[in-house]
Amino acid sequence: YETMWGSTEQMARAVMEGVTEAGVEAKLTLVPVSDRTELVRDIVESRGLALGCSTINMRVLPAMASLLEELRGLRPGGKLGFAFGSHGWGGGAVKVLEEVLDDLKATKTRDGIKVTYRPTAADLATCKAAGRELAGAVK
């Protein structure tokens, strides 16, 4: 995930909680500070992928944009996943993330989760449930 003001991070942590509570091993990775080689290896080797990013200029943040281009080039197949993210007024990042999942021919386990500004308790519960759904799909 990549986050601007911490809202998408809250969502990512809720997704992770749902995945691990369902008994599936997972990694929570903040894209801008990750080791790119390890991150890409983890993505290629995984069955599930939850992509989360905040919106800037109706697109994704810079580090996520770079990662997405790398994934488009590598085309790691057979993924199950979904997209999530927060935005201020216009949105757009979740749409970009879903387009990349489509490019990768990933099977979406649910529609993208979009939150305006800060996630509410209900939004975080939705993220946690999405994590459980993804975990169930990869088992």
Side-chain angles (χ1 to χ4, degrees), residues 15-16 18-27 42-43 45-50 77-82 106-110 129-139:
V15 169
M16 180 71 167
V19 170
T20 57
E21 282 182 4
V24 172
E25 183 182 336
K27 280 190 175 180
D42 290 343
I43 291 171
E45 292 177 354
S46 71
R47 292 203 52 227
L49 180 61
K79 303 293 175 220
L80 301 164
F82 67 95
T107 301
K108 292 181 191 162
T109 56
R110 63 162 297 120
R132 284 193 300 270
E133 291 166 9
L134 178 58
V138 300
K139 280 186 176 179

Side-chain angles (χ1 to χ4, degrees), residues 86-102:
S86 62
H87 61 271
W89 50 91
V94 171
K95 179 182 176 196
V96 171
L97 297 172
E98 288 187 315
E99 288 169 356
V100 171
L101 289 171
D102 289 341

Side-chain angles (χ1 to χ4, degrees), residues 21-87:
E21 282 182 4
V24 172
E25 183 182 336
K27 280 190 175 180
L28 182 65
T29 305
L30 179 57
V31 173
V33 297
S34 68
D35 177 292
R36 180 59 63 93
T37 302
E38 289 179 17
L39 174 58
V40 170
R41 181 203 62 220
D42 290 343
I43 291 171
V44 168
E45 292 177 354
S46 71
R47 292 203 52 227
L49 180 61
L51 293 172
C53 194
S54 304
T55 296
I56 187 168
N57 300 325
M58 299 181 70
R59 307 289 300 161
V60 294
L61 295 169
M64 182 63 74
S66 174
L67 173 65
L68 296 177
E69 284 307 306
E70 191 165 350
L71 293 178
R72 278 186 166 126
L74 290 172
R75 300 177 192 218
K79 303 293 175 220
L80 301 164
F82 67 95
F84 63 94
S86 62
H87 61 271

